[in-house]
Amino acid sequence: MSNTILVVDDDQNICELIKMYLEDDFNVEIANDGRDIQGKLRNTSPILVILDVMLPVKNGWELCREIRKEWDIPIIMLTAKGDETDKVLGLELGADDYITKPFSPRELTARVKAVLRRSSSGGGNAQIIRFPGLVLDIESRRVKVNGEPVELTPKEFELLFLMASNSGRVFSRESLLEKIWGYDFDGDTRAVDSQIKRLRKKLEILPDNHSYIHTVWGIGYKFEVQP
């Protein structure tokens, strides 16, 4: 199994610093721009991508969107921008975490390991969760709606698994932030709303399909199968 982390950043000093701190636990591959990101992913088969926002050729937002079209890989965005809107945009595009420069290499290492733990949670137990029109295979992290496979990002899968495993339970937005993004994530609850919106769109692919995720006004969301 691959143990590679792909770092995409045009600052060579940053790349070397990240590599120095991660190479005891991971194989670190470096790319200095956004050219042929799909080729780099195929060649390195990374378990996680650290992606700078301000890149030549293609910026980090474009690359994050491009990766998410075909790859179910955790992504940590790395940027000098600290504006809250930028953080929310990255999460809306499918990023799993967001770190602002300048950063502590030890914090980055901790976040990398935390994201990898969350993305692989549940993988050790062969388990299938079934609802009318919906099947979650926990071991393979695959989802089918009416028998057809649906591609989910790691965060979308984690949200669905958490809520489907607790059908009928109401989760506040703050609770979902803590459980899915981690207690140290300092974004706001709009990230949850954006992920829920994307997840609903993927699950409710047919006009007459069941609905699964419902808004509890003033509180948050719950999973419940409704015709």
Side-chain angles (χ1 to χ4, degrees):
M1 181 179 176
S2 170
N3 194 37
T4 297
I5 290 178
L6 176 62
V7 180
V8 187
D9 195 311
D10 62 334
D11 188 326
Q12 192 61 42
N13 292 329
I14 292 289
C15 291
E16 291 302 321
L17 180 65
I18 293 174
K19 184 173 183 177
M20 182 177 68
Y21 272 83
L22 294 182
E23 63 185 355
D24 285 345
D25 299 302
F26 306 98
N27 175 41
V28 180
E29 294 289 336
I30 304 296
N32 295 127
D33 58 49
R35 285 178 290 188
D36 189 25
I37 191 67
Q38 298 294 347
K40 292 183 174 70
L41 293 171
R42 285 190 292 270
N43 291 334
T44 60
S45 300
I47 56 174
L48 182 142
V49 177
I50 298 175
L51 181 60
D52 187 33
V53 170
M54 305 303 291
L55 288 168
V57 184
K58 290 183 180 179
N59 65 40
W61 308 134
E62 294 175 286
L63 292 178
C64 185
R65 188 182 293 109
E66 187 176 331
I67 292 170
R68 277 288 166 260
K69 288 180 179 178
E70 297 187 34
W71 298 84
D72 183 21
I73 305 171
I75 298 171
I76 296 179
M77 302 296 291
L78 186 62
T79 182
K81 294 183 177 180
D83 186 83
E84 187 177 83
T85 302
D86 292 318
K87 295 183 180 182
V88 173
L89 176 58
L91 296 168
E92 286 177 346
L93 292 174
D96 296 87
D97 205 347
Y98 195 113
I99 299 180
T100 303
K101 298 177 184 177
F103 60 88
S104 159
R106 291 180 179 176
E107 179 190 6
L108 175 64
T109 303
R111 284 179 180 257
V112 164
K113 292 180 178 180
V115 167
L116 289 173
R117 281 196 303 271
R118 293 198 298 267
S119 69
S120 63
S121 62
N125 299 317
Q127 182 181 2
I128 294 179
I129 300 177
R130 300 181 186 273
F131 293 96
L134 179 66
V135 177
L136 284 77
D137 187 324
I138 310 308
E139 186 172 23
S140 65
R141 296 176 68 86
R142 294 178 179 174
V143 175
K144 289 186 177 181
V145 176
N146 293 329
E148 296 296 323
V150 174
E151 295 295 326
L152 301 183
T153 67
K155 278 290 174 284
E156 290 167 352
F157 185 89
E158 291 171 32
L159 271 172
L160 180 59
F161 173 56
L162 173 65
M163 298 180 73
S165 300
N166 296 273
S167 182
R169 175 181 170 183
V170 178
F171 289 90
S172 69
R173 292 172 174 83
E174 291 77 12
S175 174
L176 291 174
L177 270 177
E178 179 181 350
K179 292 178 183 297
I180 301 301
W181 278 269
Y183 69 91
D184 56 353
F185 174 66
D186 59 358
D188 67 20
T189 56
R190 287 179 297 172
V192 174
D193 295 334
S194 297
Q195 291 285 350
I196 291 289
K197 183 178 179 180
R198 290 158 59 97
L199 183 55
R200 277 176 171 161
K201 185 176 180 180
K202 292 182 178 182
L203 297 180
E204 299 169 14
I205 55 178
L206 299 175
D208 58 348
N209 194 38
H210 293 86
S211 58
Y212 301 102
I213 299 178
H214 306 275
T215 302
V216 180
W217 299 108
I219 302 177
Y221 300 97
K222 69 174 179 179
F223 181 97
E224 187 174 83
V225 181
Q226 295 183 7

